[in-house]
Amino acid sequence: MSEIRNRAERARSFETVAQEYERHRPDYPVEAVEWAAAQLGLEPGARVLDVGAGTGKLTRVLVAAGFETVAVEPGGAMLDQLRLVVPEAEAHEAPAEAIPLPDASIDAAFAAQAFHWFDRERALPELQRVLRPGGGLALLWNWWDERDPLQKELGELVGYAGHEPYREEELPAAPWFRDVGRTVVETVMESSPDALVGYLATASDYLVVSPEERERALAAVHALASKYGDRFAMPRLTYVFAFARL
Ligand SMILES: C[S@@+](CC[C@H](N)C(=O)[O-])C[C@H]1O[C@@H](n2cnc3c(N)ncnc32)[C@H](O)[C@@H]1O
């Protein structure tokens, strides 16, 4: 399979597990949104966009922060979940490359765990188009904390060891955006072997392999996590990046 087809397949693979995604994927810390809002000068009531919103894990934090929130997501099944869980958000089935909103109609755009799936050449001008002059863009990724022994072992097993969720050279830049700042928010979540398997079962790596391969890989995750007990505290990192519209 060509790399482009494989990438497109992976980008849409979440659709098949929308309910599991909603159940097992972690939310985003309020502090991450507060940091981005401060960097981008957002006041409550600002009109913000969540791009690649999935089941609305970030959307609900934006709504709770008092923003008038619009969610855009190309996967119909993901969007159905979002509409159930965050009915307060205006929701559109669309990709980042063709956002069904007027020019300069948004104060800030957010993308959580999604920017790496966009076709950047098309998505960046499109995001710039819908943002008002002076508006901004925030990118978020939840990520593993390899200082935690469980996550270090897990990283070696599943292959994220030593990786970042983003590529520095692919972050938004001129002529569309200017870097404003970045931070890492540290939080701790409760987890268990089953929860970790549920989480990893929604990762694109596992959604595009054969059922046998998937089952074998997830059983190995369960065995590893079980060494750390039935329940454990799991530190995690949320990377947050802020950019100003040029
Ligand atoms: C890992 S999920 C993240 C969902 C949600 N933002 C969250 O943090 O839980 C990635 C999402 O990006 C969406 N996606 C993939 N390609 C996209 C594109 N070109 N434009 C917008 N969203 C896209 C997928 O449908 C999926 O919902």
Side-chain angles (χ1 to χ4, degrees):
M1 188 184 286
S2 79
E3 194 175 324
I4 291 177
R5 246 189 78 200
N6 184 266
R7 196 182 140 73
E9 187 193 354
R10 287 179 47 162
R12 298 305 301 272
S13 61
F14 305 102
E15 277 256 64
T16 56
V17 288
Q19 287 182 15
E20 287 78 6
Y21 191 103
E22 172 58 21
R23 193 169 318 126
H24 296 296
R25 283 284 185 117
D27 292 339
Y28 293 93
V30 161
E31 298 87 327
V33 166
E34 286 173 351
W35 180 87
Q39 298 298 308
L40 302 179
L42 293 177
E43 300 289 343
R47 186 164 165 84
V48 305
L49 176 64
D50 184 4
V51 195
T55 64
K57 296 249 168 214
L58 179 69
T59 321
R60 69 201 67 175
V61 185
L62 296 170
V63 166
F67 299 127
E68 185 187 314
T69 307
V70 186
V72 166
E73 159 62 41
M78 298 294 265
L79 203 60
D80 287 346
Q81 285 289 316
L82 184 147
R83 287 189 169 120
L84 274 178
V85 182
V86 207
E88 304 89 341
E90 176 185 323
H92 300 276
E93 186 171 329
E97 298 80 11
I99 300 169
L101 294 175
D103 295 359
S105 58
I106 292 291
D107 296 310
F110 288 74
Q113 222 81 13
F115 179 73
H116 54 287
W117 296 121
F118 302 167
D119 172 352
R120 290 183 312 285
E121 298 292 310
R122 291 163 55 223
L124 287 173
E126 184 62 351
L127 285 164
Q128 195 213 34
R129 180 187 69 76
V130 298
L131 284 167
R132 65 163 168 77
L137 169 66
L139 303 182
L140 292 84
W141 281 274
N142 277 332
W143 199 239
W144 310 100
D145 186 344
E146 290 185 55
R147 294 168 300 182
D148 173 33
L150 188 167
Q151 293 177 72
K152 182 160 176 43
E153 269 200 79
L154 189 67
E156 280 150 17
L157 178 71
V158 307
Y160 64 70
H163 291 274
E164 304 287 11
Y166 61 92
R167 290 201 190 139
E168 193 67 38
E169 67 278 13
E170 293 182 352
L171 290 174
W176 316 113
F177 290 93
R178 169 176 62 79
D179 195 342
V180 171
R182 60 180 69 186
T183 192
V184 180
V185 176
E186 299 191 22
T187 45
V188 177
M189 62 192 242
E190 272 281 302
S191 194
S192 67
D194 285 347
L196 211 47
V197 165
Y199 181 169
L200 281 165
T202 68
S204 63
D205 283 343
Y206 294 114
L207 297 176
V208 294
V209 296
S210 71
E212 298 74 34
E213 218 176 316
R214 179 179 150 93
E215 209 171 302
R216 199 169 46 242
L218 293 175
V221 169
H222 198 279
L224 187 158
S226 297
K227 295 194 307 182
Y228 292 83
D230 291 343
R231 295 206 68 79
F232 36 80
M234 216 172 77
R236 49 109 190 228
L237 307 175
T238 304
Y239 293 85
V240 196
F241 297 80
F243 303 88
R245 176 196 190 277
L246 287 175

